[in-house]
Amino acid sequence: MRVTWLGHAAFEVEIDGVNVLIDPFLSGNPKAAKSPDEVDPDLVLVTHGHGDHLGDAVEICKRTGATLVGIYEIAMYAKGQGVENVEEMNIGGTIEVEGLRIIQVPAWHSSEIVEDGEIVAGGTPVGYVVSGEEGSVYHAGDTGLSMDMKLIGELYEPEVALLPIGSRFTMGPKEAAKAVELIEPEVVIPMHYGTFPPIDQDPEEFEREVKELGLDVEVVILEPGESYER
Ligand code: NI
Ligand code: MN
């Protein structure tokens, strides 16, 4: 299993030979490790409609034929934009695509797609647990801390958790450390920080907060473009 951070909340997750691209905000992302033309996913998972998450998902799916997975409203929006293969779902549901199990889980945030001052699509924000033979990954999306994370940990036992630490729009280091305590993953990778000045954050501070809680977890701090393999 390989997890590559593309900057912000964008990740390439390879499990069982399937390339899963999550929240591909690449064009317009000052920290993007790849351009939209450099990715070749089988699946594209979108956590919510904000531009820094939906990103280039529609264009990438149209170019590559990848399947877009999203909450119903986002999936229908993508279909309306010309994406051929979509898998719509909703919170609490599980689907099997390309041999992987994809579970949509709650996130505490907002989700509307706003174009020219008009809301054109909504739904609620989500996170995902993606699992296969080689392992499982929880991408929390944009979220505040919630007790739901305890259930996500208990039910789906993700080995790797990708958690936002940037604060302002999501959890900060302190809340994210508490999330680690609830989820109990083996590895945690911080994300959604350092992209723009409003979410500048020191990942070492997150690591210190995790250590202070005495948690048995490996904190893996990546640079955009770097991978974690297990
Ligand atoms: Ni957002
Ligand atoms: Mn965001």
Side-chain angles (χ1 to χ4, degrees):
M1 175 166 92
R2 182 163 65 215
V3 178
T4 306
W5 191 32
L6 299 182
H8 204 58
F11 284 87
E12 280 182 314
V13 178
E14 281 180 68
I15 303 180
D16 301 350
V18 181
N19 187 345
V20 182
L21 179 63
I22 308 174
D23 282 357
F25 167 50
L26 303 176
S27 53
N29 173 356
K31 295 290 168 73
K34 288 188 178 181
S35 76
D37 293 333
E38 290 174 310
V39 293
D40 190 14
D42 300 297
L43 303 175
V44 177
L45 275 50
V46 178
T47 63
H48 63 291
H50 293 158
D52 60 321
H53 297 262
L54 181 65
D56 306 294
V58 166
E59 294 76 9
I60 291 168
C61 287
K62 284 163 82 166
R63 178 178 59 80
T64 64
T67 298
L68 186 144
V69 179
I71 200 161
Y72 179 78
E73 289 78 3
I74 298 287
M76 291 306 110
Y77 170 80
K79 209 171 191 177
Q81 296 289 309
V83 174
E84 261 184 54
N85 305 311
V86 303
E87 289 280 353
E88 70 277 18
M89 56 189 307
N90 218 313
I91 290 172
T94 301
I95 59 172
E96 283 213 18
V97 208
E98 303 272 347
L100 299 181
R101 198 167 62 121
I102 297 170
I103 305 156
Q104 207 168 58
V105 297
W108 283 93
H109 192 66
S110 62
S111 183
E112 280 75 12
I113 299 174
V114 182
E115 288 175 359
D116 301 325
E118 299 272 333
I119 294 174
V120 298
T124 57
V126 303
Y128 291 97
V129 180
V130 182
S131 30
E133 293 291 318
E134 291 176 353
S136 58
V137 175
Y138 166 43
H139 186 297
D142 276 0
T143 187
L145 178 63
S146 87
M147 283 302 289
D148 296 327
M149 291 168 179
K150 176 99 179 135
L151 284 177
I152 292 166
E154 279 183 16
L155 283 174
Y156 310 126
E157 300 179 322
E159 290 149 5
V160 179
L162 315 175
L163 301 181
I165 66 156
S167 197
R168 181 179 282 263
F169 302 111
T170 67
M171 302 188 284
K174 186 184 173 69
E175 294 81 14
K178 188 69 188 174
V180 174
E181 186 176 79
L182 298 177
I183 301 158
E184 295 188 54
E186 291 171 27
V187 171
V188 61
I189 301 174
M191 64 164 176
H192 209 274
Y193 68 93
T195 323
F196 313 108
I199 56 169
D200 274 348
Q201 204 66 245
D202 181 5
E204 310 278 345
E205 190 191 331
F206 168 64
E207 190 166 17
R208 280 194 296 276
E209 294 280 358
V210 169
K211 290 232 167 82
E212 259 178 47
L213 293 175
L215 306 176
D216 182 22
V217 63
E218 185 186 353
V219 178
V220 174
I221 297 170
L222 298 175
E223 290 293 326
E226 280 186 344
S227 300
Y228 166 76
E229 284 188 58
R230 56 180 281 143

